[in-house]
Every structure is written in C-alpha cells, then in structure tokens.
Amino acid sequence: MPLSFSLRHDAPDALDTPLLAIILPSEPTLPETLAALDAQFNGAIARTIARRDFRGGKDETLLLVGGERGVQRLLLVGRGSAPLTRTTARRAAAIAARQAGKLGTGAMYLYLPGADPASIEGLVIGAAAGSWSYPDLQTQPPEKDRRARLASVTMLADDTAANRAALEVGIATSEGQNIAKRLGQMPGNYCTPESFVEVGQDIALRHGMQITVLGRREMADLQMGSFLCVAQGTTQEPRLVALEHKGGPADQQPVVLIGKGLCFDTGGISIKPAPEMEWMKFDMMGAAGVMGAMEAIGRLKLPINVVGIIGSTTNMPSGEAVKPGDVVRASNGKTIEIINTDAEGRLVLADLLVFAKRFNPAIAIDAATLTGAIVIGLGGNAVGVFSTDKAAADEVLAAGVAAGEPGWPMPMWDEYKEQIKSDVADMKNTGGRAAGSITAALFLQEFVDGFPFVHLDVAGTAYSQSDLGWIPKGPTGTPVGTFVEFVRVRAQQ
Ligand code: BES
Ligand code: MN
Ligand code: ZN
C-alpha cells in the first residue's frame, strides 16, 4: 500500500493515534502547545526533558508509552542545533518514519513546532525516504510476525491551507524519488534498458507527455557511434528514451535533463576488479533521477517546458565488445579513441548531448555516476558540479542546497584538456588518473553546441554504501530533488 500524507489542524492532546512523533531542537523546552499532552502523560515529557534524558540532539529519539486511547506512543525526535530547514526537517521525519516501521504502527502523526511550508515539504520527503524499501526479492516473514508498513502520515499544522502546496510538492518529489530508488536498487538482471522504456511509458501516459524511444537501429541511423560502441558487448537492446513535458508556451525553450543509464557497468574489456563490482548496478542513477524528476514535474503540472533524455545499456565484455585502441565516431562527427572501455558513461552521454540540441535547450543538465574520482574527491556529501557557465552552475548549486543534495563547484579549465588529446582521433575517452572527474566533464563539453550546460557527477551521492541513519544503505534519491527544485524555480520566473 502506498504511503499517504495529509495535513491536520488539531491539538496534540486531542489525537487518537498509535504514534505521535514530536520533533524538537537541541536543549528543548516544553512548547506551550504540549502542556495538555504532557498532563495526559503525567508530566513525563517535561520530566524527561528536565532530566536531560532527551536533549534534542540530531537523530536522537526517545519513546514514551501512552495508554490504550489517545496518543498511544509518543516519540521524541531531536533535530539538533542547526536551523530549521527543509533538509533538517527531512532528516528528523525520516528518523521518525524508520522508528514507526520498526514498531509497526502503520500510522503516524508528525508534529514539528514552528513548521513552515519548506519544512512541511521536508517532513513529507523525509517520512517517505525513511519508510522506503525494496522488498520484492526477499521472502516476507509469516503474517503473524510481520510489522505493519507505515501507510499514513498526518502532519499537524495550524494553517493547513497555507501548507497545501508544500504538501503536494513533497508528495510529488518523494514519488519521483521512489521511482528512482526502486530502479537503483533493482539488480542488473531486473533493471534493464527496457525498464526505462516501461517506466517512461508509464510516466508519459499518466502525465500526458510525449515519449520517443530509440533502439540500436534508430541510433545507428543517427550515427550515434559513441553510445552504440558501449552497447556492442551486450545482447540487450540499448535504449534512448526522451520524455517531453509541455507545460509552458509552445515557443519556450525547454530545460533539458539528461541521465546516464548503465544498468550494469562491468568495465567491458577494461574489466573492473571483482571486489564490490556488484555496486555497479547503481550506474543508472542519473537516468533514474531524470525519470523521477519527470514524474514529479508531471504530477505538479509545472508551467514550463522540460525534456528528459536517458541513455541506457549495459557495459559488458564479449567477442563483439569495443576494445582499447578502437576509434568511434559520435553523432556530431567527432572521433574518439577508446583508451579505457570502463570510461563508458561519457560515451553514452556524448550522443545524448548531441541529441539534446534538437530540442533547442534553454539549458541542459546531466546527472551521471560518472567517475570514481569524484567519490575520492567529495565522498558522499557533495555532488560534483561542472560548468563553463558560472550563472548556470550557481543556479544548479542553489537548487541542490534547497533540495538537501548540496553540490560543490569544480574547475573546467582549458589546461586540463591536454590530457584528453589523442594522436589518432579528435580526443581520447580518458585522461589518466589525475583530475579524472574534470577530464570527464571536459570530454562531455566537446558535445555541447550552443546552450548552457551543467554536469552533475553523482557517483558519490546517488547511492550510499552504508546506513546513513535517516535512510538505509542504498539509493539516496539524489539527484531527483535538485532537478525538481531547479525546474520549479525556473517555472516561477
Ligand atoms: N560508473 C563508473 C564510475 C564509478 C566508479 C562510480 C567507481 C562509482 C565508483 C564509470 O563508468 C567508470 O568506470 N569510470 C572510470 C573512468 C576511468 C576508466 C577513466 C573510473 O572512475 O574509474
Ligand atoms: Mn565504467
Ligand atoms: Zn559507469
């Protein structure tokens, strides 16, 4: 059952619920609005605060057991000393939702004293993230041992009308993230290029978008020799999927979102080492992020034109596979010497960037799990943001901060271009280990013709190798939030 969200204006002491989670800041005092509830709990809330059992630290929780009726369980959740933002609210709500899942309460009320519309958005996105899972491939325990999944979240708000739009944005964004995370968690034998066609068709149908699907033949007709060389080693049909959301005036140039969709990346002939290779099922999170963003944009009916383009295949070694030294020609005519078949994402993106030109983009933004180097450089806490256009980069960086998916600007200086010069072709597909994320971005820039372009390297941020406390190990939802926020802001201009 999908998780449903609602807003309600009510006193915390008037509720009849299996669980009320109250989100409090560091070193809290008992809010006036909780005095009556505290009385119902015989003063336990005030006492636990006075004793400093609960101090409101980030991720801190304390459960108080209530009676048969009314608030049957009370969960205090700390949000720490940082200012209340969409991101801090998101984290606390995710912690609450994970606790609700462990208790099996099925329903939960959330009360964040002082919540504004931005934090309401955060509560929705966080509660959805904290209760997300991909149980499809695991046998479930027998009915009697099962804990109910969280099915309904009600947020207390003084002015429900003022928060209605925030609720919708939160729901749309989390539905988009759910789509992306599901694709990301699906193993490579379940998530194939065809999965992106199916998800794309479903989004197109539900939101009245135009969809274009290309396979090997159509891409060959367009001379996409760069994308197609990556697909040489797989028997799967590679797919290019384009979704067009026409929410703006017919003559408005669209925002174009582009995603790398490698359903699995073995490295190809330049094969990767075995340890942790299974992680490479996540190499489609850029494309999943585009799909998730198109879902949210469609749900919100944003008054702007947006095109989402994904390129999907699987990078495999085989007798037919592309090999080091081969030279391929991209659809803009440029030739590429393949140095390392494991630098395949940029080869797919090259032809997508050329394809994007036909939509006459106002701006194109790609997201890709492009380089291991960005994982080394920025780790899991910042998206690598690359652009030769400072204003465009700043706009994307601002969207990332607002969405709780912060990025960090990286240089794209000409000096680095030396590293991808080739003796036999127009360029090489790798520039060595030094500045590996930057040379990858400079490679992409070679296929951009006449529109602002921002590249997001999400290799470190789209998938977490460890439990982050607020969300489990696995796909994080990045870059869906950044895309949605960017498009929302553009739609308001
Ligand atoms: N999908 C990988 C990037 C990646 C590697 C993400 C490790 C997360 C962890 C990409 O296709 C890749 O293999 N890149 C190579 C490029 C190199 C051969 C120039 C890399 O980063 O090692
Ligand atoms: Mn690779
Ligand atoms: Zn890859």
Side-chain angles (χ1 to χ4, degrees):
M1 194 166 39
L3 179 53
S4 78
F5 288 93
S6 55
L7 288 161
R8 184 159 156 174
H9 175 68
D10 218 335
D13 47 284
L15 304 176
D16 184 23
T17 177
L19 176 64
L20 167 64
I22 301 174
I23 299 170
L24 296 172
S26 268
E27 303 300 346
T29 50
L30 189 74
E32 194 56 38
T33 48
L34 289 177
L37 183 69
D38 188 41
Q40 284 176 11
F41 276 76
N42 302 315
I45 310 174
R47 258 194 323 276
T48 199
I49 290 173
R51 284 177 184 159
R52 303 188 73 230
D53 290 348
F54 176 79
R55 302 182 183 187
K58 189 169 86 171
D59 299 352
E60 190 181 335
T61 59
L62 188 129
L63 184 70
L64 298 174
V65 182
E68 293 283 344
R69 271 180 291 279
V71 174
Q72 293 140 41
R73 296 174 194 81
L74 178 64
L75 182 71
L76 302 178
V77 182
R79 62 173 176 83
S81 51
L84 179 58
T85 61
R86 192 169 105 152
T87 307
T88 51
R90 177 183 68 176
R91 186 174 183 110
I95 296 278
R98 287 191 84 179
Q99 286 291 334
K102 284 179 192 153
L103 292 165
T105 61
M108 168 172 80
Y109 271 80
L110 272 177
Y111 178 42
L112 171 58
D116 61 352
S119 39
I120 293 286
E121 270 177 43
L123 292 182
V124 175
I125 295 168
S131 60
W132 181 84
S133 69
Y134 176 67
D136 302 33
L137 304 179
Q138 283 177 323
T139 306
Q140 297 308 302
E143 189 76 48
K144 65 174 180 33
D145 299 335
R146 238 177 264 177
R147 305 257 184 174
R149 292 203 52 173
L150 187 58
S152 106
V153 173
T154 311
M155 292 163 296
L156 294 181
D158 291 338
D159 187 346
T160 55
N163 288 297
R164 183 75 45 202
L167 176 75
E168 294 308 323
V169 171
I171 292 172
T173 305
S174 47
E175 288 295 331
Q177 283 181 334
N178 288 346
I179 287 179
K181 288 161 89 167
R182 184 180 161 76
L183 286 165
Q185 198 66 318
M186 283 165 81
N189 59 330
Y190 284 78
C191 177
T192 66
E194 222 47 47
S195 308
F196 283 94
V197 176
E198 285 158 19
V199 169
Q201 279 169 341
D202 180 51
I203 292 171
L205 194 69
R206 283 184 294 108
H207 304 304
M209 295 181 191
Q210 191 169 317
I211 183 168
T212 306
V213 178
L214 309 185
R216 231 182 263 275
R217 240 215 18 238
E218 296 82 2
M219 289 193 259
D221 289 345
L222 292 170
Q223 306 193 7
M224 295 187 170
S226 185
F227 185 157
L228 283 177
C229 86
V230 179
Q232 258 169 244
T234 176
T235 51
Q236 289 172 343
E237 184 75 357
R239 291 298 192 184
L240 184 157
V241 181
L243 284 170
E244 292 173 69
H245 167 80
K246 293 175 178 158
D251 62 348
Q252 182 192 56
Q253 292 176 267
V255 172
V256 178
L257 307 175
I258 300 173
K260 166 182 173 181
L262 267 289
C263 292
F264 195 81
D265 178 13
T266 65
I269 295 298
S270 314
I271 198 161
K272 288 180 183 294
E276 297 194 335
M277 201 208 269
E278 70 281 2
W279 183 19
M280 285 303 137
K281 71 172 184 178
F282 96 123
D283 210 16
M284 31 51 67
M285 283 308 297
V290 170
M291 286 295 170
M294 295 309 287
E295 167 69 17
I297 290 160
R299 276 180 180 258
L300 293 170
K301 302 187 168 56
L302 293 180
I304 183 173
N305 294 336
V306 183
V307 181
I309 305 172
I310 68 96
S312 183
T313 184
T314 299
N315 188 18
M316 295 289 285
S318 96
E320 304 284 311
V322 70
K323 54 197 180 298
D326 286 0
V327 173
V328 299
R329 190 183 293 274
S331 45
N332 65 347
K334 290 194 184 181
T335 55
I336 304 158
E337 181 187 7
I338 307 297
I339 300 297
N340 189 320
T341 65
D342 197 10
E344 84 298 337
R346 65 199 74 182
L347 297 171
V348 171
L349 291 168
D351 280 324
L352 299 187
L353 285 164
V354 176
F355 187 77
K357 171 87 174 164
R358 69 178 56 203
F359 297 103
N360 189 20
I363 183 173
I365 311 170
D366 89 284
T369 48
L370 203 63
T371 65
I374 207 71
V375 187
I376 302 301
L378 298 178
N381 296 308
V383 173
V385 179
F386 300 80
S387 187
T388 54
D389 184 320
K390 171 110 171 43
D394 286 345
E395 203 180 337
V396 175
L397 284 161
V401 169
E405 299 171 353
W408 197 254
M410 300 288 288
M412 283 185 72
W413 301 330
D414 279 345
E415 284 79 353
Y416 292 104
K417 261 197 215 165
E418 293 298 320
Q419 289 174 238
I420 55 170
K421 281 199 172 142
S422 165
D423 298 333
V424 297
D426 294 332
M427 70 196 89
K428 302 194 287 195
N429 81 326
T430 69
R433 279 168 61 83
S437 304
I438 299 173
T439 50
L442 285 166
F443 178 94
L444 298 181
Q445 193 68 38
E446 292 295 315
F447 301 90
V448 176
D449 176 19
F451 48 86
F453 169 60
V454 182
H455 159 57
L456 302 179
D457 196 333
V458 295
T461 46
Y463 195 98
S464 176
Q465 297 276 55
S466 59
D467 191 311
L468 295 175
W470 68 287
I471 48 169
K473 174 178 165 183
T476 61
T478 301
V480 174
T482 306
F483 279 156
V484 174
E485 184 63 23
F486 180 92
V487 172
R488 271 177 68 210
V489 172
R490 278 263 168 142
Q492 282 158 13
Q493 285 165 1

